[in-house]
């Protein structure tokens, strides 16, 4: 009886530890660099953030070479050095190829956030650069 109870407690402990995991991917092949994210996956739940240094009158270009998924949601957001969101675009399941530009008005570090929320059967290739 004590052995079964020990196994049960260990199992529950593992479940509680894994319950806090927020990032996961199955059958995932990904590449993440300073100016590019690329992946194919069966399931994917991950947030990727990158800092982009800026001087006033800089333009950030975000290029969706490919974004395709069957379930979930993808959000791209850019915040200024003060934490204010200056760009946000949310994508529902489908196929996308597009480009977006964000004008940086402040000096400092802007942040780009790519949030892949419980995305299934997808792939993406996204790049960004400043002028």
């Amino acid at each position: 009886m004590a052995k079964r109870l020990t196994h049960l407690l260990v199992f529950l402990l593992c479940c509680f530890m894994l319950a806090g995991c927020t990032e996961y991917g199955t059958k995932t092949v990904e590449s993440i660099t300073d100016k590019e994210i690329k992946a194919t996956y069966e399931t994917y739940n991950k947030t990727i953030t990158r800092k982009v240094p800026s001087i006033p009158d800089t333009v950030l270009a975000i290029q969706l070479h490919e974004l395709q998924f069957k379930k979930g949601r993808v959000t791209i957001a850019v915040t200024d050095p003060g934490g204010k969101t200056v760009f946000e675009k949310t994508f529902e399941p489908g196929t996308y190829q597009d480009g977006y530009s964000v004008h940086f008005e402040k000096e400092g570090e802007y942040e780009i956030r790519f949030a892949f929320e419980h995305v299934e059967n997808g792939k993406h290739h996204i790049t960004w650069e400043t002028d």
Side-chain angles (χ1 to χ4, degrees):
M1 177 71 176
K3 187 175 183 181
R4 290 175 68 188
L5 182 60
T6 302
H7 285 126
L8 177 63
L9 290 174
V10 168
F11 174 74
L12 290 174
L13 178 63
C14 290
C15 287
F16 284 123
M17 288 174 39
L18 291 176
C21 294
T22 57
E23 292 188 355
Y24 62 82
T26 59
K27 296 187 180 176
T28 303
V29 176
E30 69 181 345
S31 169
I32 301 173
T33 67
D34 288 340
K35 294 190 177 196
E36 175 183 60
I37 57 174
K38 189 175 186 178
T40 59
Y41 37 83
E42 188 173 275
T43 62
Y44 199 67
N45 190 64
K46 189 173 209 169
T47 300
I48 301 164
T49 58
R50 289 290 180 262
K51 300 283 187 182
V52 179
S54 171
I55 58 172
D57 294 326
T58 300
V59 175
L60 169 69
I62 302 171
Q63 181 67 44
L64 271 66
H65 299 278
E66 181 175 38
L67 175 61
Q68 178 181 346
F69 57 101
K70 297 196 187 277
K71 223 176 181 184
R73 181 172 51 197
V74 176
T75 301
I76 300 172
V78 178
T79 55
D80 70 12
K84 179 183 172 192
T85 300
V86 294
F87 173 83
E88 185 170 72
K89 179 76 176 162
T90 300
F91 301 91
E92 297 298 329
T95 301
Y96 304 90
Q97 286 183 315
D98 212 345
Y100 304 95
S101 63
V102 182
H103 185 256
F104 288 172
E105 297 176 356
K106 297 179 180 178
E107 187 169 343
E109 281 192 331
Y110 281 70
E111 182 178 87
I112 308 173
R113 181 177 47 84
F114 303 94
F116 298 87
E117 301 172 39
H118 308 289
V119 178
E120 293 183 11
N121 299 318
K123 55 186 168 180
H124 63 263
H125 179 201
I126 304 169
T127 59
W128 59 94
E129 63 183 354
T130 55
D131 63 353

